[in-house]
Amino acid sequence: MLRPDICKLLILFSLFCSAAASVTYDHRAIMINGQRRILISGSIHYPRSTPEMWPDLIQKAKEGNLDVIQTYVFWNGHEPSPGQYYFEDRYDLVKFIKLVEQAGLYIHLRVGPYVCAEWNFGGFPVWLKYVPGIAFRTDNGPFKAAMQQFTEKIVSMMKAEKLFETQGGPIILSQIENEFGPVEWEIGAPGKDYTNWAAQMAVRLNTGVPWVMCKQEDAPDPVIDTCNGFYCENFKPNKKYKPKMWTENWTGWYTEFGGPVPHRPAEDLAFSVARFIQNGGSFVNYYMYHGGTNFGRTAGGPFIATSYDYDAPIDEFGLPREPKWGHLRDLHKAIKLCESALVSGDPTVTALGSNQEAHVFKSKSGACTAFLANYDTKSSAKVSFGSGLYDLPPWSISILPDCKTVVFNTAKLGAQSFQMKMMPVNSTFLWESYNEETVSANDDGSTAMSGLWEQINVTRDATDYLWYITDVKIDSDEGFLKNGQSPILTIFSAGHALHVFINDQLSGNVYGGLENPKLSFSDSVKLRVGINQISLLSVAVGLPNVGLHFEKWNAGVLGPVMLKGLNEGTRDLSKQNWSYKIGLKGEALSLHTVSGSSSVEWVEGSLLARQQPLTWYKTSFRTPEGNDPLALDMNSMGKGQIWINGQSIGRHWPGYKAQGDCADCSYAGTYEDKKCRTNCGEASQRWYHVPRSWLNPSRNLLVVFEEWGGEPSGIALVKRTMASVCADISEGQPTMKNWGMLTSGELNRPKAHLWCPPGQKIFQIKFASYGQPQGTCGNFKKGSCHSDKSYDVPQRNCIGKQSCSLSVAPEVFGGDPCPGNMKKLSVEATCG
Ligand code: GAL
C-alpha cells in the first residue's frame, strides 16, 4: 500500500496505487520497498470503540502524524464457541484494517493469540480451558493445535482480503505470542520449545512481512525481538542485523476498580520517545493511542475498570487529550524532519556536560540532525553545541533537524490545550424498578451438588453471577436463642465479590482487589428455629489476563464455610449439599432488552426501590442533540451493570473508592504507574461512556442492574464538552511553522493561540499570567514572577473573538517582570 500523496505522484508516472511493496529490515530500521523508515505507531483496539467511531479515531491518529496503527486480535471475541466465528460489528477486523488503509496508514497486527491487554482471560476463549489435556502457553499438543488453528484462520483471512503489504495491503508487521519471555524464564525447557515452535509456525505462514515477538530475548530468526515499557532507550535486539523497535510505550496506565486513575505527563512521554530515537530506535508504538472502553464483560483482571482510557493521547470518548495529543503530533513532525539523517546510520554521541549529551546523525548526502539531551531531573542546562548555545530544561531533549535550529523541545508544551467537563444534558430520569429475588434451592434451573464448586467451572463465564444456596437447621434448644449471642458465619471465597443473604435478608457485601482477589466474610447472623436458607451470590469481575498459569486461578466460594456458636461448637457447611443457580433471573428474562423488559411488572413512584440490593432499574430517554460524546454519571450507585437499547455499556462500580497515593507530580524524573494519579478517595470510575451510535433517533431504553443498593435519582446523562481553552507557551518556544524560513526573532517570540469551536466566542479570561505560572489547563497558579498586565493583554485582544494570538514577549506586557529568568504565558479562557 502506498500513501495517497505518493500515489498521486505515482499515477503521474502511470503506476498503480495498490502496488505491492516488500517489507524487510536491517539493523537500522524496517524497510518498505527497500527504504528504511522511522515509523511512529499507535495502538487502537477495535472492540474498545464502535465501528462508527473508527474513521474519526484513525483520522485523529493520522493528524497526530502517526504512520502505523497497532492492534491485537481478540480470539475470545472472534471464536465464542469452538469453530463458531464472529467478525461483525465491533469485531469486524477486516473493516477496521481497510479503514486504516483508506486513511493511508499501515497496520501492525498482533495476532497473539494471547494478548494480555487487561482483556478477559488475556484474549483466550474460556472454552479453551476445558479442552481435555490442555495447558496454556507451553509445549502442549492441544494448546498448540488450537493456537495454530486460530492463527492460520486470521492469516488466511488477511491474505484472502489482500491485506498484507506484499499483496498491496496495509499490514507491514505481525506479532506472534505476547511477552512470553518472562514466562519462559519461569518454566524453562518446555517454554523454550514453545517459543521456537510459535516462531516457526508463524514464519511458515508466509505472510511476506516480518514477525515480531515482544519481550522475548531469544526470539529465533527471522523474528524480531522488541521492547515494551515506559522507557526503552537501552534496549538491544538479540542480533546485530535486527532493528531496535519499541512495541509498547505505555502512554499512561490502566485503571482498576479500587485504584486511583493514572496519568503520564506529556513531557515525559515525549522525552522517552526522543531518547529512544536518539539512541538508534526506529519504531515506536504508543500503547495506547486510544484506549477506549471495556464494553460488556470484556474487562480482564479481575477488577479492571470498564474505562480503558489509559490517559492516552485520544481519550476514551474519542477526543484529543491535550496537551498530550498536540505535543506528540509536534514531536512526530520534528522527528520526520530528521528522518533522512536518522536512517543513514548510527549516532555519534558526545558529552555536553555531566548530565547532558548530543546525539548526531549524518547522512552521506551531508544532512545533519542532532538531539541535545539534558537528563538532570532538577536543573536546566545551557550547553554549547556547534557554534550555538542552547537552553535545555530539566529532563528534556531538543531536536535540531539541521544541527542548528531547535524545532522542538520535549519539555516545552506549545500546543493549545483544553479542559473538558461533563455537563448534564437531561432533566432527571423517571425510573421504574424490579426486584431480583434471591433464589431458593428448589427454583427452576438450580442444580444440587455435594460440596462447594469452583465458579467458572460451573458458569463457563456465561455470566458474572453464581448463586450458592444451602440450608441450616436450627433446633429449638440452641443456646444462642436464649443468650442472644448470634452465631458467626465465616465464608472464604477465591473471589471476586460476594453478597451474603440469610433468609433473603442481606447480611453483607464483601470483595477483593486486583492485588488479592480472595475475600472472606465473617459476621454474626440472625438464625431462627427450623430451616434457614443461606444464599450466597458470588460475582466474578473479569477473568485474569496475566500471570504464570493464570488460567488456573479459581473464582467463587471454595470454602471453608463455617457456622460458629452453636451447641455443637462449629458446624462446617462446606461439605454439605449446595444448590447452584447460574446467573440472575433478570438475565434469564433478558430484562436489558426492549422485549424482555416488558415481560415483568415494574413499579414506580412511591414504590420505587431505593438503596435496595439486587434491583433492576429501567427508564427511557430522548437522544440528546449534537455530537458531543455522552456518558452516564453513576456516582450515586454501588456496583452492577448497565445496558442501553440492549447493548452492554459494561460493569459499573463507583462504590469502589480509589485507595492509594495521589501526591502532586512533576514531569521530570522516571515515570512509573503509581507516580501521577488522581481520584484518591473518590470512585475509581464515575463516568461510563455511552456511544452515540448505540442510541435510537428518538427514544432509548436504559437498564441498570444494581447489586449493592444505590440511589437511581442520582444517575445523570452527561455530555463531554470543553470547559475552557488554554495556551501555555514559553519564551524561546520553538515553532515548526514555516520551518526553513525562520528568523531568530520568530523563534524567540512565539505566539500563544486561543480558539473556540465554530460558532463560539471567547467570553471570559479565567486566568492569565506572563511570568512563571505553574500548573496545567484548569489548574494554573500564579508564580512569584508575574506581570501586572497579564490579564489586560488577553482581555483586550481576545474577548468577543473566535480566536486570537498573543505574542509572548516582555514589551507586549509592559516590561519584564523578572529579568534574566525564562518566562512563559499561561492563559485559560472560556468559550460561549
Ligand atoms: C503489557 C502487555 C499489554 C498490557 C500492558 C499493560 O505487558 O503486553 O497487553 O497488558 O502490559 O497495560
Side-chain angles (χ1 to χ4, degrees):
M1 184 211 51
L2 295 167
R3 315 294 197 68
D5 45 344
I6 302 174
C7 275
K8 276 188 207 137
L9 280 176
L10 290 179
I11 287 167
L12 287 176
F13 297 103
S14 59
L15 283 172
F16 54 96
C17 272
S18 63
S22 67
V23 187
T24 52
Y25 63 80
D26 68 3
H27 91 284
R28 187 64 190 94
I30 293 289
M31 293 193 285
I32 302 178
N33 260 349
Q35 192 98 40
R36 285 181 184 158
R37 295 294 313 276
I38 301 290
L39 293 169
I40 310 287
S41 171
S43 294
I44 301 178
H45 294 159
Y46 50 97
R48 285 178 154 145
S49 52
T50 60
E52 290 77 7
M53 291 170 72
W54 294 344
D56 187 57
L57 295 174
I58 295 165
Q59 184 57 28
K60 289 197 170 93
K62 188 182 167 116
E63 286 164 16
N65 291 326
L66 259 54
D67 306 294
V68 184
I69 302 294
Q70 186 205 67
T71 182
Y72 283 126
V73 177
F74 296 87
W75 187 0
N76 51 10
H78 292 305
E79 198 177 351
S81 51
Q84 302 267 297
Y85 292 102
Y86 181 76
F87 287 95
E88 268 148 62
D89 196 32
R90 285 187 291 122
Y91 292 91
D92 194 339
L93 174 61
V94 168
K95 179 174 183 175
F96 179 76
I97 296 180
K98 288 190 172 169
L99 285 168
V100 172
E101 178 175 29
Q102 277 161 30
L105 301 180
Y106 298 122
I107 282 273
H108 177 201
L109 193 68
R110 305 171 94 190
V111 182
Y114 167 69
V115 300
C116 193
E118 292 69 69
W119 189 259
N120 199 41
F121 222 34
F124 287 141
V126 172
W127 55 257
L128 192 67
K129 176 174 169 174
Y130 300 97
V131 169
I134 206 155
F136 286 5
R137 303 180 77 204
T138 186
D139 189 20
N140 168 276
F143 177 76
K144 289 193 297 186
M147 170 166 165
Q148 180 162 353
Q149 199 174 357
F150 182 71
T151 308
E152 280 172 357
K153 166 93 191 166
I154 296 300
V155 168
S156 62
M157 197 169 176
M158 299 300 110
K159 281 189 183 170
E161 298 282 345
K162 301 215 176 329
L163 293 176
F164 288 105
E165 177 76 17
T166 39
Q167 302 174 291
I171 305 174
I172 54 164
L173 288 167
S174 300
Q175 178 180 300
I176 195 76
E177 249 294 341
N178 189 73
E179 296 194 335
F180 185 68
V183 179
E184 184 184 312
W185 177 254
E186 298 264 353
I187 66 174
K192 181 101 192 154
D193 291 347
Y194 167 67
T195 298
N196 288 329
W197 168 83
Q200 279 161 20
M201 183 270 286
V203 170
R204 268 202 304 270
L205 296 176
N206 274 326
T207 60
V209 303
W211 287 91
V212 306
M213 285 177 118
C214 61
K215 271 207 194 168
Q216 184 80 57
E217 279 173 23
D218 58 352
D221 285 2
V223 177
I224 309 167
D225 60 318
T226 63
C227 184
N228 291 348
F230 289 115
Y231 305 92
C232 275
E233 63 274 4
N234 296 324
F235 171 77
K236 281 199 176 55
N238 62 16
K239 295 281 169 50
K240 285 215 169 74
Y241 43 83
K242 293 181 185 177
K244 174 165 169 166
M245 297 172 66
W246 191 356
T247 27
E248 291 181 25
N249 180 354
W250 300 318
T251 54
W253 200 243
Y254 55 83
T255 301
E256 68 198 62
F257 286 127
V261 180
H263 301 277
R264 183 175 185 189
E267 298 95 322
D268 175 67
L269 185 54
F271 176 72
S272 71
V273 173
R275 198 167 182 183
F276 181 71
I277 299 287
Q278 72 167 15
N279 282 17
S282 55
F283 177 100
V284 182
N285 175 71
Y286 295 103
Y287 185 101
M288 301 296 297
Y289 194 72
H290 170 256
T293 311
N294 294 313
F295 293 116
R297 302 174 52 252
T298 60
F303 299 99
I304 298 295
T306 296
S307 168
Y308 198 64
D309 179 83
Y310 222 89
D311 201 36
I314 303 178
D315 73 16
E316 175 177 9
F317 304 91
L319 303 174
R321 166 168 281 113
E322 298 292 13
K324 202 176 255 190
W325 182 85
H327 191 51
L328 296 177
R329 174 201 57 205
D330 295 350
L331 165 70
H332 305 152
K333 190 164 175 195
I335 292 172
K336 290 286 139 99
L337 290 170
C338 308
E339 189 173 10
S340 63
L342 287 175
V343 297
S344 298
D346 298 322
T348 312
V349 183
T350 42
L352 301 175
S354 57
N355 233 343
Q356 293 77 31
E357 277 175 354
H359 292 233
V360 178
F361 297 82
K362 284 192 173 144
S363 72
K364 286 198 192 86
S365 62
C368 177
T369 272
F371 285 56
L372 308 185
N374 179 12
Y375 308 119
D376 198 300
T377 57
K378 299 264 154 38
S379 319
S380 53
K382 210 175 204 92
V383 295
S384 110
F385 173 75
S387 52
L389 273 180
Y390 297 86
D391 270 316
L392 302 175
W395 198 250
S396 82
I397 294 177
S398 282
I399 301 180
L400 292 64
D402 61 353
C403 282
K404 288 196 190 90
T405 323
V406 177
V407 297
F408 185 86
N409 175 280
T410 56
K412 289 186 180 174
L413 299 175
Q416 155 155 336
S417 60
F418 329 119
Q419 212 211 0
M420 305 304 290
K421 66 176 172 197
M422 296 301 211
M423 228 176 61
V425 286
N426 67 323
S427 46
T428 43
F429 292 124
L430 281 177
W431 290 102
E432 296 171 57
S433 65
Y434 172 80
N435 180 17
E436 168 83 33
E437 286 155 23
T438 51
V439 172
S440 66
N442 38 26
D443 265 19
D444 280 357
S446 60
T447 316
M449 295 191 280
S450 158
L452 294 164
W453 288 70
E454 198 277 331
Q455 178 158 345
I456 307 306
N457 202 2
V458 179
T459 63
R460 298 290 159 110
D461 199 37
T463 164
D464 279 2
Y465 304 102
L466 179 63
W467 284 103
Y468 292 72
I469 312 134
T470 200
D471 286 344
V472 171
K473 189 159 173 267
I474 297 296
D475 292 335
S476 54
D477 64 352
E478 278 294 347
F480 78 83
L481 295 168
K482 290 175 207 102
N483 69 19
Q485 294 229 314
S486 299
I488 308 279
L489 177 66
T490 308
I491 305 165
F492 288 92
S493 162
H496 310 137
L498 185 69
H499 310 307
V500 180
F501 296 86
I502 309 291
N503 297 324
D504 298 334
Q505 293 302 307
L506 182 66
S507 271
N509 302 313
V510 275
Y511 47 97
L514 183 64
E515 294 298 316
N516 182 9
K518 291 190 181 144
L519 56 94
S520 61
F521 170 90
S522 188
D523 208 351
S524 58
V525 286
K526 276 203 195 108
L527 297 174
R528 59 190 178 214
V529 177
I531 302 292
N532 293 267
Q533 183 177 282
I534 300 184
S535 317
L536 309 177
L537 182 60
S538 178
V539 191
V541 195
L543 301 188
N545 55 271
V546 68
L548 200 60
H549 298 306
F550 69 82
E551 76 276 15
K552 299 210 168 107
W553 292 18
N554 290 325
V557 185
L558 294 181
V561 179
M562 318 284 264
L563 196 56
K564 270 187 219 155
L566 303 178
N567 289 353
E568 68 202 78
T570 299
R571 193 184 296 176
D572 185 354
L573 310 181
S574 318
K575 301 231 158 49
Q576 65 183 49
N577 266 353
W578 288 79
S579 289
Y580 292 82
K581 174 102 193 251
I582 299 172
L584 304 169
K585 196 166 156 195
E587 286 180 302
L589 291 169
S590 294
L591 290 191
H592 64 288
T593 65
V594 175
S595 60
S597 70
S598 50
S599 67
V600 297
E601 288 283 323
W602 299 74
V603 296
E604 56 188 316
S606 59
L607 295 176
L608 185 81
R610 296 207 142 100
Q611 309 288 356
Q612 291 295 310
L614 305 197
T615 308
W616 292 82
Y617 291 100
K618 75 162 182 171
T619 188
S620 71
F621 68 93
R622 295 186 73 80
T623 300
E625 282 174 8
N627 297 320
D628 292 323
L630 301 171
L632 284 167
D633 178 355
M634 298 296 292
N635 221 20
S636 64
M637 302 303 279
K639 176 184 186 314
Q641 292 181 37
I642 313 166
W643 295 264
I644 295 232
N645 297 325
Q647 299 266 18
S648 173
I649 297 290
R651 302 184 179 99
H652 69 268
W653 200 348
Y656 208 154
K657 305 296 178 208
Q659 295 145 25
D661 185 15
C662 287
D664 264 7
C665 86
S666 148
Y667 79 87
T670 307
Y671 177 79
E672 43 87 23
D673 60 295
K674 299 204 168 42
K675 189 172 160 190
C676 301
R677 305 188 296 178
T678 60
N679 287 45
C680 289
E682 295 165 29
S684 296
Q685 188 180 349
R686 172 175 181 176
W687 320 103
Y688 294 78
H689 182 205
V690 176
R692 281 242 175 216
S693 58
W694 288 357
L695 298 185
N696 296 323
S698 55
R699 295 212 79 74
N700 305 286
L701 174 70
L702 165 59
V703 176
V704 173
F705 175 63
E706 172 59 42
E707 296 169 25
W708 285 9
E711 181 48 56
S713 63
I715 301 177
L717 188 66
V718 299
K719 61 179 181 181
R720 190 161 171 84
T721 57
M722 206 183 274
S724 18
V725 296
C726 296
D728 192 15
I729 298 268
S730 310
E731 274 177 350
Q733 173 71 38
T735 161
M736 269 175 295
K737 260 199 187 160
N738 313 324
W739 159 252
M741 296 179 289
L742 287 174
T743 65
S744 58
E746 265 175 298
L747 252 182
N748 294 323
R749 293 194 52 185
K751 284 189 166 173
H753 301 275
L754 289 171
W755 55 264
C756 292
Q760 295 191 23
K761 296 202 162 89
I762 297 170
F763 85 98
Q764 194 198 1
I765 303 296
K766 281 173 79 178
F767 179 91
S769 176
Y770 172 67
Q772 293 184 322
Q774 287 155 8
T776 52
C777 187
N779 302 298
F780 287 132
K781 283 185 214 85
K782 247 173 34 177
S784 54
C785 166
H786 169 78
S787 156
D788 292 341
K789 296 259 164 42
S790 296
Y791 271 81
D792 301 355
V793 179
Q795 294 269 18
R796 218 175 31 243
N797 290 287
C798 302
I799 299 289
K801 295 192 182 149
Q802 201 230 329
S803 67
C804 65
S805 315
L806 307 164
S807 290
V808 186
E811 59 273 25
V812 177
F813 291 88
D816 194 332
C818 48
N821 290 299
M822 178 97 111
K823 286 162 288 295
K824 65 175 193 160
L825 172 66
S826 303
V827 188
E828 179 183 347
T830 42
C831 304

